[in-house]
Amino acid sequence: MIKGASRDVKPSKIQRFPLILDSGFLILYPMPPRLHRVPYPGGTLVLGRSTVVMGVLNVTPDSFSDGGDWIDPDRALRHARSMVREGARIIDVGGESTRPGSRPVPAAEEIRRVVPVIESLAAEKVLVSIDTSKAAVARAAFRAGAKILNDVTALRGDPAMARAAARAGVAVILMHMKGRPRTMQRNPEYRDVVEEILEFFREILRNAWRAGIERDKIILDPGIGFGKSPEHNLEILRRLDEFCDLGRPLAIGTSRKSFIGRALGRRVDNRVSGTAATVAAAILRGADVVRVHDVREMSDVARMTDLLK
Ligand code: HH2
């Protein structure tokens, strides 16, 4: 129970807790955990009970933290299997880096990288998401067995994407990005970063619905590091609970990102502890899915943090 004068309580908190007025004081009771059932072809992802760990599989030569490590399909598969053993419930397969300054990859090349890996994982009944913003790549990935679309452009990168996702009936992760990867880190500015992302989410939820994507299939992601300064990223994480008011589950990808390196003075291969702190904080403030590279460590963090909610 939280007690305090009404002026101390932010509107977003009031919406989430039933309250009783008691002589000028608010008495706030936490609500039971929110449960979301997110359907995908052939199954349902239940979110809100225990945190879902999404393991990152970058089949790219140039990703910011593991570029080139998994470009060979056999190595990629072995790595995906070990992430599943270590606790990943989703494997997020990507064939194009979106790191700051990166250049787009032709669709045919992206398809060549991701499809064989997705086919093998799907045959092993692994739940796969495809990290792409190109409709042609998404369609090939759905045919190969991917059940979730993870689009860092939130359906704005390719006009054919919304329809491709709606037709396939996949679950969809829609991420906020300000600008484009090539230029997004050049001095990003916001009036209020959380308010602007909330407005963006409201608009893309409407657009997705108009395109025929049911609301219950959508997971939202504020896009840590995508057109944000280190301070913006910290503020998003401090105020993550404000996104819960939209009534959709939240995914978050802080893993090994540069704001952690900046805060701690650590290089990309030495950010596991910093990532752990961000994952725990995000879970306590409402994250349902955590997108991570270090699956063994972050599965422990998630399980332990779930017990502390
Ligand atoms: N971050 C990256 C890529 N895809 N998808 C979602 N939903 N959320 C994220 O935060 C996110 C994402 C960037 O990380 P990574 O894939 O490791 O690097 P790269 O883009 O260089 O391949």
Side-chain angles (χ1 to χ4, degrees), residues 54 56-60 62-67 92 94-100 102 131-132 149-152 173-176 184 219-226 251-257 291-293:
M54 171 189 253
V56 180
L57 186 64
N58 286 320
V59 195
T60 60
D62 58 344
S63 286
F64 81 94
S65 79
D66 55 356
D92 189 40
E96 175 183 64
S97 171
T98 49
R99 74 184 192 289
S102 61
D131 184 348
T132 190
L149 169 66
N150 175 22
D151 183 356
V152 298
I173 302 175
L174 299 178
M175 198 197 78
H176 174 268
M184 65 189 176
I219 300 170
L220 299 171
D221 182 332
I224 294 291
F226 285 84
I252 192 103
T254 57
S255 185
R256 300 181 183 173
K257 285 186 178 169
R291 181 182 182 278
V292 296
H293 303 83

Side-chain angles (χ1 to χ4, degrees), residues 21-95:
L21 277 176
D22 175 19
S23 58
F25 280 84
L26 298 174
I27 302 176
L28 305 175
Y29 296 97
M31 301 256 270
R34 309 155 297 125
L35 266 197
H36 296 281
R37 291 175 202 283
V38 180
Y40 58 81
T44 303
L45 198 55
V46 179
L47 298 176
R49 242 182 231 139
S50 56
T51 302
V52 166
V53 173
M54 171 189 253
V56 180
L57 186 64
N58 286 320
V59 195
T60 60
D62 58 344
S63 286
F64 81 94
S65 79
D66 55 356
D69 288 358
W70 320 116
I71 191 81
D72 170 64
D74 288 332
R75 272 178 67 89
L77 263 181
R78 279 200 297 277
H79 181 53
R81 288 186 192 119
S82 88
M83 287 195 286
V84 170
R85 278 195 303 277
E86 290 168 353
R89 301 238 315 267
I90 305 171
I91 299 295
D92 189 40
V93 181

Side-chain angles (χ1 to χ4, degrees), residues 85-293:
R85 278 195 303 277
E86 290 168 353
R89 301 238 315 267
I90 305 171
I91 299 295
D92 189 40
V93 181
E96 175 183 64
S97 171
T98 49
R99 74 184 192 289
S102 61
R103 285 170 184 276
V105 172
E109 172 63 13
E110 210 179 316
I111 290 171
R112 195 188 61 75
R113 292 178 186 173
V114 297
V115 161
V117 178
I118 295 174
E119 276 172 349
S120 303
L121 290 175
E124 295 172 24
K125 303 270 177 277
V126 174
L127 182 55
V128 173
S129 59
I130 173 67
D131 184 348
T132 190
S133 45
K134 298 189 191 78
V137 178
R139 280 191 294 264
F142 303 152
R143 277 195 298 275
K147 309 284 189 196
I148 303 172
L149 169 66
N150 175 22
D151 183 356
V152 298
T153 70
L155 310 173
R156 299 169 307 154
D158 184 333
M161 185 62 109
R163 192 158 161 66
R167 286 189 70 163
V170 292
V172 182
I173 302 175
L174 299 178
M175 198 197 78
H176 174 268
M177 165 165 40
K178 186 156 184 159
R180 281 280 171 274
R182 248 178 90 64
T183 52
M184 65 189 176
Q185 289 310 101
R186 288 187 199 152
N187 206 18
E189 282 182 24
Y190 295 84
R191 185 177 23 86
D192 176 325
V193 66
V194 171
E195 279 304 321
E196 280 188 43
I197 297 173
L198 276 166
E199 276 164 31
F200 171 84
F201 281 158
R202 288 189 196 102
E203 186 187 325
I204 56 154
L205 280 169
R206 278 195 296 273
N207 293 348
W209 181 77
R210 278 194 210 107
I213 301 173
E214 290 106 344
R215 205 181 153 86
D216 62 348
K217 294 207 168 114
I218 297 177
I219 300 170
L220 299 171
D221 182 332
I224 294 291
F226 285 84
K228 282 112 187 163
S229 68
E231 184 48 44
H232 292 140
N233 294 317
L234 294 173
E235 180 158 1
I236 291 167
L237 287 167
R238 284 189 209 109
R239 295 172 57 193
L240 197 68
D241 55 341
E242 294 181 37
F243 297 112
C244 298
D245 295 343
L246 294 171
R248 296 312 311 142
L250 296 179
I252 192 103
T254 57
S255 185
R256 300 181 183 173
K257 285 186 178 169
S258 65
F259 76 108
I260 298 172
R262 183 80 71 90
L264 301 178
R266 301 275 187 224
R267 288 192 358 207
V268 71
D269 53 356
N270 206 359
R271 296 180 186 164
V272 179
S273 309
T275 299
T278 62
V279 165
I283 292 171
L284 291 175
R285 291 176 185 145
D288 300 287
V289 180
V290 291
R291 181 182 182 278
V292 296
H293 303 83

